[in-house]
Amino acid sequence: MNSLQHVAIVYRLDRPGGVQSVAFALMRGLNQRGIRPTVLWDVPPNPQLLERQRCQADFEAIRFAIPTPWIDHLPNTLRYVAWIFNTMRYDGMKHRYQFAYIFHNGFLLPANMPHVRYLSGPPLLPQLENPPRGMRGFPARLFQAGYRHILARRWPAYEFHRQDNYVINSHYTAQLFYEAHGVRLPVVYPPIDLHGRSYVRGDWSQRDSVVFFSRIVDYKRPEMILRLAKTYPKWRYLIMGGVPPHRRPYLRALMSQAREMGVAQNVTFLPNPSDLQVREVLARTRFYVFPAVNEHFGMTTVEAIASGTIPFVHDSGGQREIVPMDHLRFSDETFLERFGQIESMPEETLEDLREGMREYINQFSEEVSVGKLLAYMDAMG
């Protein structure tokens, strides 16, 4: 058993998303070892949220050049640029903590500080696949040049720190990283709690819904659900997921689009659902549809499969690692036709599919992934 006790986690825990889930799962793993980690950020963790996540942690406030709550209210492009100036070096860390898990690339470490840095997105600046709106084409190239030649030396928020110890969240993102930097990183899938998400064989009579479950933002493309509702009106449709304050205009636009397409009566929106609501919805879901292109991994897809749904996902990115069956993936050109083929399958065929998928996703369980993250601490601590 590792004797480390003073462990830091550098991340903002009140921001929903995949990295938040990784951080909470990691905390549970540390707590099970008798370790109470310290969260370093400029926003303290919500005690009620910690309690709901069955986690215990302390807090140490750090000060960024731009407070992170301010950044939340900036437009997409400005928010992306502002993070550059929140690069910081925490030189006292080596004397206070024995090991650190880092989820913010702009947080620079003292020399020889034992750590692991978790990447969950594109491989930093050299290969940004989807720059924020307003920065594509010439503006994106101009920004990258200015960052590289003027800002990067002092504020290397989007640089690969080659002296650091990285892991990355999928083989898809690992390949992008290799293409950008010539370095192969080990993959640690985001840990997903599969407990309490069981289903009953033959429960098809209660599963009459087609559900989108992710953040309700434009790049996840939930508007594709409206196309399904227009073409296959016999199902109930639900668009469910987190909506941060700066994304509310998009949600309103999506609801307006549903009315214009004449499907508002058949499409329900559930923004910012509770964990209980998510579990109840997925227990009544037959088909889980995820249209995002080149998703880095896709934790909600795993949660949906564990809940007994049939996944139907875009044929790109990390979704290929979660859903290995070709006929359960689609391109934009085959979207409507292939869904029609799946929704008309006999229930016996669907039963075999979901049982095979349920066994396949065990590799993404919290126990497997947290075990790998803790192993780095054991090896380097």
Side-chain angles (χ1 to χ4, degrees):
M1 181 70 69
N2 195 285
S3 61
L4 297 184
Q5 288 295 316
H6 303 291
V7 178
I9 294 176
V10 183
Y11 184 64
R12 177 178 174 179
L13 289 173
D14 66 335
R15 175 171 293 161
V19 178
Q20 183 200 65
S21 299
V22 177
F24 280 132
L26 177 59
M27 268 193 271
R28 286 191 289 269
L30 291 167
N31 289 164
Q32 289 171 7
R33 290 192 172 195
I35 299 172
R36 184 183 176 107
T38 299
V39 176
L40 276 65
W41 205 254
D42 66 341
V43 178
N46 184 314
Q48 289 76 30
L49 184 57
L50 284 175
E51 184 177 356
R52 287 201 304 272
Q53 292 289 335
R54 310 183 311 281
C55 295
Q56 294 182 343
D58 295 317
F59 173 68
E60 180 182 342
I62 55 179
R63 180 174 294 178
F64 290 110
I66 306 174
T68 57
W70 292 11
I71 295 178
D72 288 347
H73 298 286
L74 295 174
N76 285 351
T77 300
L78 290 179
R79 188 164 62 251
Y80 179 81
V81 173
W83 271 113
I84 293 173
F85 301 101
N86 275 358
T87 298
M88 69 173 297
R89 185 179 298 278
Y90 186 66
D91 292 322
M93 183 175 235
K94 186 175 179 180
H95 304 290
R96 303 191 60 179
Y97 301 102
Q98 298 164 296
F99 195 87
Y101 290 96
I102 313 293
F103 297 93
H104 170 42
N105 200 58
F107 192 89
L108 308 182
L109 299 170
N112 302 320
M113 171 73 195
H115 72 281
V116 66
R117 193 182 291 275
Y118 193 92
L119 283 182
S120 63
L124 312 177
L125 189 73
Q127 192 163 335
L128 272 177
E129 286 196 310
N130 189 25
R133 289 183 179 180
M135 292 186 62
R136 297 173 184 170
F138 176 74
R141 292 193 297 272
L142 182 63
F143 165 76
Q144 290 192 11
Y147 170 79
R148 279 244 181 260
H149 297 293
I150 300 174
L151 301 176
R153 291 183 182 179
R154 183 173 179 182
W155 295 292
Y158 295 117
E159 290 296 298
F160 170 36
H161 311 310
R162 291 183 178 269
Q163 75 279 6
D164 287 358
N165 301 303
Y166 284 86
V167 298
I168 200 164
N169 69 334
S170 72
H171 290 286
Y172 166 68
T173 48
Q175 180 59 30
L176 292 180
F177 197 95
Y178 175 73
E179 293 170 7
H181 301 286
V183 175
R184 295 201 181 275
L185 298 183
V187 172
V188 178
Y189 286 121
I192 299 165
D193 183 5
L194 301 181
H195 300 292
R197 297 184 183 274
S198 59
Y199 56 88
V200 178
R201 183 177 177 86
D203 63 352
W204 299 105
S205 61
Q206 72 183 41
R207 294 181 177 271
D208 61 351
S209 300
V210 178
V211 171
F212 167 94
F213 167 41
S214 185
R215 280 173 290 165
I216 305 177
V217 293
D218 53 356
Y219 56 86
K220 303 287 187 179
R221 305 202 305 168
E223 69 274 4
M224 300 283 279
I225 301 299
L226 307 183
R227 294 178 57 194
L228 284 182
K230 186 75 171 178
T231 308
Y232 300 98
K234 79 173 190 177
W235 300 102
R236 296 172 57 248
Y237 293 86
L238 178 67
I239 295 175
M240 171 175 70
V243 183
H246 64 281
R247 297 288 188 176
R248 288 172 186 162
Y250 174 73
L251 174 61
R252 291 192 292 268
L254 196 63
M255 297 172 74
S256 176
Q257 185 179 351
R259 291 190 293 270
E260 293 170 1
M261 293 178 62
V263 297
Q265 296 299 318
N266 202 28
V267 178
T268 302
F269 293 85
L270 181 55
N272 301 317
S274 66
D275 292 341
L276 178 60
Q277 286 176 310
V278 169
R279 289 175 183 262
E280 289 177 345
V281 166
L282 292 180
R284 300 191 302 271
T285 298
R286 181 169 292 211
F287 301 106
Y288 163 83
V289 182
F290 191 72
V293 177
N294 287 330
E295 181 76 2
H296 303 144
F297 179 65
M299 297 179 68
T300 56
T301 302
V302 180
E303 293 177 30
I305 293 169
S307 303
T309 74
I310 301 298
F312 186 54
V313 302
H314 195 272
D315 186 20
S316 64
Q319 295 288 288
R320 292 176 175 174
E321 298 169 49
I322 301 171
V323 183
M325 296 84 162
D326 290 344
H327 59 286
L328 297 182
R329 305 195 302 260
F330 60 86
S331 65
D332 285 6
E333 293 75 20
T334 63
F335 177 57
L336 295 176
E337 177 185 359
R338 187 158 290 183
F339 180 80
Q341 294 169 355
I342 295 172
E343 62 101 25
S344 61
M345 285 181 176
E347 291 180 354
E348 294 82 1
T349 304
L350 296 177
E351 190 75 67
D352 291 341
L353 276 175
R354 70 174 183 172
E355 286 188 358
M357 286 297 308
R358 181 60 180 83
E359 182 176 349
Y360 179 80
I361 63 171
N362 284 329
Q363 64 183 305
F364 310 125
S365 70
E366 183 169 313
E367 291 81 3
V368 171
S369 297
V370 169
K372 291 181 178 180
L373 288 174
L374 293 178
Y376 282 98
M377 183 182 72
D378 294 338
M380 291 188 282

